[in-house]
Amino acid sequence: MTGLEEKLRAAITETADEIRAWEVPPLALRTASRLGPASAGRERRWRRPLVPLAAAVAVLAVVVASLTVASLRPSQHSRRYDPAIASGPFRGAPRYYVEIALTRARQYNGPRHALVRATSTGAVLATISPPRPYSSLVAVTGDVGDQTFVLAAVRDGGRRDARPYSAFPATRLFLLRLTPAGRPKPLTPLPIPEFGDYWTLTGLVLSPGGTRVAVGLYANTQKQLAEVRIYSLSTGSSRTWAGAGVIGFGPYDSQSISWPAGLADVTFMWGGGNLRSDGLRLLDAASPGSSLVQDSRFAVADPQPNGAEINSDATLTPDGMRIAAVMSPRKGSNYIDEFSVRTGRVVWADLRQPGHGLSYQDVLWTNGTGSVLIVKTDDESGNGLGIVRNGTFTPLPGPPMGYNATAWAW
Amino acid sequence: MKWNLPQAFADADRNGQRLGDLRAGQLPGAAQPDPVAAITVLYEQHALELIRLAHVMLGSQTSAEDTVQEAFCGLYRHWGRLRNQDRALSYLRSSVLNGCRSTLRRRAPGPAVGPGEQTASSAEVAVLGSEQRRTVMQALRQLPARQREALVLRFYLDESDAQIAADMGIGESTVRSTIHRALAALGRSLGEMP
């Protein structure tokens, strides 16, 4: 925990303690009594006539879903595996994704496991727990296909976000491979040492082709040391770039780094306390050097000149031309911007909203050119996923996830 | 049954029961069948901490008390519609946070407190040597409401990212970026590194 965080915690606690127990006024329910508690019977009365209608809607939904699923089902005779969905509203997206979710709903400090899901149906194909002594999975990344993933596991089940970075449990990386049918093979520990002591994982991305993994790390030293390390999956050999600042927005922020196909560049979200260099930066992993700031180049300012901030993280398109991000303006609803990597300027913006009270939160995946995006949305009831194609938002199917699911990778 | 609420609060304070169940988000004991009795028990056990939470958010004891009172009245009105009465405490916490947001939206720029009210910025507190706290709280209250709320949930209630996401109705990644940006802004305001 930094000195500022300690000071803030002390100030808030002391301010709260200004209210003494004997100062609490008596409870007065008189105002509310005039209306009285809501009657359960009254609620049921309006529901009753809706039951047949709800049943009809449910049947219709099942029929439509079946037809949709049937049209998206890969051909049994296909000899060559194609990771992308061929047709329908989700065409072009990878068939499977891995989601990190609470093992028990609403137990926010409890352990998390991974679910392998089918993109077109949301169906859970497999549930993955970490091998002992690891008890919780906290982050995930995938390659451009949909069969290789890297998962981060921690030794204890609790997420102690509020504690000092140094108190975070040791983290180990595991390789997950899926069969073409989406079935997982056993998790394999990578030949990469645990991140323990004072290192906390703040970014995780698999290289195109799935041969290397880049991690963002944060050490709670007085100089706020951050590192990007790139490891070979087969040998564990590594290269390190370091700087004084923070990568991403906190522990287990999988999306803070991206690494598109065909490029040496790794993008990372950088905060070093200098507005001229803070924002999204590009690191050429093939060139020499070891400095995160001097050996990387500035790509997108955060905040933008109009005051809008990148809402959480940003994603580089696989063709290396654009960076897609959800923007949070000073006033109004979030929207999607795509920036030119070359100029850092906005080249495409989608100010339309997903509808149904949803709000854009994150760009989680893009196709080669950024014309198809998988985005995270949320509303008051929780998180959701959807595809944006030509400005049209289509929600991905699946049961309501509330706030139980926390990370996704395609 | 007659509840001696002030005495119960004093006991709780003396026993160091500051945040306990409020942090855990659990309603102690079985749900009471009688709404008045159940809500009275909830008030006895949690009003103090909810008022403290609202006080940190609003900087005004009077507004904090009003906000919490309204939250309990709302709970009473909606008791029959509460699907899971074990979730009453979560409902209350969300109501208090919503109430704080509404108050902050309505509030005109200027002093956050009523006339004559003692606050962290009062002369008395300054004399007690809390200049640093006053400065930090002033900087905290200059942040946008969402950033302030996220910091209070993190550093007062010790909530995890996921829990803050559920309480604020935003995504976990947004929680992370909100807290990051709030600390950066606070650091700039106080001339410190976040």
Side-chain angles (χ1 to χ4, degrees):
Chain A
M1 186 176 300
T2 64
L4 176 63
E5 290 172 2
E6 281 173 4
K7 209 177 280 181
L8 177 61
R9 184 189 294 276
I12 290 176
T13 306
E14 286 173 22
T15 303
D17 288 348
E18 287 175 353
I19 311 289
R20 303 292 181 181
W22 57 83
E23 292 176 319
V24 172
L27 176 63
L29 292 175
R30 272 196 311 251
T31 314
S33 299
R34 275 185 238 127
L35 298 170
S39 149
R42 189 169 62 206
E43 184 188 18
R44 279 194 293 272
R45 271 200 300 277
W46 69 262
R47 275 189 184 173
R48 209 171 290 137
L50 295 180
V51 169
L53 179 62
V57 169
V59 168
L60 186 62
V62 168
V63 170
V64 169
S66 305
L67 291 172
T68 307
V69 171
S71 69
L72 295 177
R73 191 173 294 150
S75 164
Q76 300 296 318
H77 304 292
S78 170
R79 289 186 182 174
R80 188 173 174 277
Y81 177 74
D82 181 355
I85 296 171
S87 61
F90 310 122
R91 67 188 179 280
R95 292 183 194 282
Y96 310 115
Y97 65 98
V98 175
E99 173 181 292
I100 302 288
L102 298 173
T103 306
R104 296 184 63 192
R106 293 200 296 269
Q107 298 289 316
Y108 296 114
N109 291 315
R112 297 164 188 229
H113 56 197
L115 305 172
V116 180
R117 287 186 183 272
T119 304
S120 57
T121 65
V124 175
L125 305 176
T127 301
I128 298 162
S129 299
R132 288 182 181 180
Y134 303 94
S135 58
S136 188
L137 294 167
V138 292
V140 61
T141 176
D143 75 353
V144 289
D146 62 353
Q147 291 184 273
T148 306
F149 297 86
V150 168
L151 295 159
V154 295
R155 277 185 180 266
D156 82 10
R159 280 171 55 95
R160 297 175 293 183
D161 307 271
R163 297 189 183 181
Y165 275 96
S166 54
F168 275 78
T171 307
R172 183 82 194 256
L173 301 183
F174 290 86
L175 182 68
L176 169 68
R177 288 198 190 278
L178 303 181
T179 67
R183 301 295 170 196
K185 298 174 182 175
L187 281 184
T188 311
L190 289 171
I192 297 169
E194 266 188 351
F195 307 115
D197 299 328
Y198 53 74
W199 290 110
T200 300
L201 189 76
T202 62
L204 180 68
V205 68
L206 197 55
S207 73
T211 57
R212 290 181 291 171
V213 66
V215 296
L217 294 168
Y218 178 82
N220 187 26
T221 63
Q222 288 197 334
K223 288 190 173 179
Q224 285 198 313
L225 179 66
E227 289 187 0
V228 167
R229 296 184 196 166
I230 295 181
Y231 289 95
S232 156
L233 294 193
S234 55
T235 65
S237 61
S238 66
R239 274 194 67 187
T240 299
W241 291 260
V246 182
I247 294 165
F249 291 119
Y252 315 138
D253 182 7
S254 305
Q255 297 289 128
S256 67
I257 313 182
S258 63
W259 194 347
L263 281 185
D265 283 342
V266 176
T267 69
F268 62 97
M269 184 62 79
W270 178 248
N274 181 347
L275 290 179
R276 282 183 297 181
S277 60
D278 286 0
L280 203 69
R281 301 186 68 86
L282 293 171
L283 175 70
D284 182 354
S287 66
S290 60
S291 167
L292 265 182
V293 178
Q294 289 170 12
D295 298 320
S296 66
R297 66 186 175 90
F298 189 69
V300 176
D302 179 39
Q304 284 285 292
N306 63 4
E309 296 174 325
I310 296 175
N311 190 53
S312 57
D313 291 306
T315 302
L316 193 57
T317 57
D319 66 5
M321 302 296 287
R322 294 182 178 195
I323 290 164
V326 170
M327 303 303 294
S328 176
R330 282 184 180 151
K331 285 184 180 176
S333 306
N334 289 357
Y335 56 88
I336 299 171
D337 263 352
E338 289 191 0
F339 299 90
S340 160
V341 167
R342 195 172 55 81
T343 65
R345 293 191 178 153
V346 176
V347 289
W348 181 81
D350 186 357
L351 303 178
R352 282 173 287 189
Q353 299 306 306
H356 309 291
L358 296 171
S359 166
Y360 288 128
Q361 297 297 317
D362 256 321
V363 175
L364 300 173
W365 176 90
T366 84
N367 71 345
T369 59
S371 61
V372 181
L373 310 173
I374 293 180
V375 293
K376 181 167 83 67
T377 60
D378 66 21
D379 62 8
E380 288 180 356
S381 63
N383 294 318
L385 301 174
I387 282 196
V388 176
R389 183 194 305 275
N390 300 326
T392 303
F393 173 82
T394 307
L396 291 189
M401 61 179 78
Y403 293 100
N404 298 322
T406 57
W408 302 263
W410 276 261
Chain B
M1 178 181 280
K2 188 169 185 282
W3 295 96
N4 184 351
L5 298 183
Q7 184 58 43
F9 291 134
D11 291 344
D13 205 35
R14 265 200 307 276
N15 295 335
Q17 295 168 341
R18 293 185 52 261
L19 299 174
D21 291 327
L22 185 59
R23 279 183 175 142
Q26 297 293 320
L27 174 64
Q32 305 289 317
D34 172 14
V36 174
I39 291 167
T40 304
V41 170
L42 275 169
Y43 192 81
E44 176 201 356
Q45 295 181 336
H46 299 295
L48 174 60
E49 291 315 321
L50 290 168
I51 291 172
R52 285 175 167 173
L53 173 66
H55 175 54
V56 170
M57 287 290 297
L58 300 171
S60 157
Q61 184 170 347
T62 309
S63 299
E65 288 170 359
D66 288 348
T67 302
V68 171
Q69 186 76 36
E70 279 174 27
F72 275 88
C73 288
L75 176 65
Y76 178 64
R77 282 194 298 270
H78 295 101
W79 187 259
R81 288 205 291 268
L82 203 63
R83 284 183 187 169
N84 181 355
Q85 289 172 354
D86 287 341
R87 301 280 300 157
L89 185 54
S90 298
Y91 173 91
L92 277 171
R93 189 166 44 192
S94 296
S95 296
V96 169
L97 291 172
N98 282 334
C100 290
R101 279 178 219 136
S102 303
T103 304
L104 291 169
R105 269 199 300 272
R106 283 197 304 267
R107 187 178 280 170
V113 296
E117 198 172 345
Q118 292 288 318
T119 72
S121 59
S122 70
E124 184 187 350
V125 173
V127 167
L128 292 173
S130 295
E131 180 64 27
Q132 192 178 57
R133 168 163 60 111
R134 188 187 64 80
T135 308
V136 172
M137 292 306 292
Q138 218 164 40
L140 177 72
R141 288 179 181 137
Q142 281 168 358
L143 295 176
R146 190 164 86 161
Q147 292 186 358
R148 182 191 319 185
E149 190 174 326
L151 288 184
V152 170
L153 293 176
R154 163 61 46 82
F155 292 102
Y156 182 54
L157 296 186
D158 279 346
E159 289 191 345
S160 65
D161 289 344
Q163 202 149 19
I164 296 171
D167 282 347
M168 292 180 64
I170 59 178
E172 193 172 327
S173 53
T174 309
V175 170
R176 278 195 294 262
S177 59
T178 302
I179 289 176
H180 177 87
R181 293 182 197 287
L183 284 172
L186 204 62
R188 279 196 297 275
S189 170
L190 297 172
E192 290 190 27
M193 231 167 53

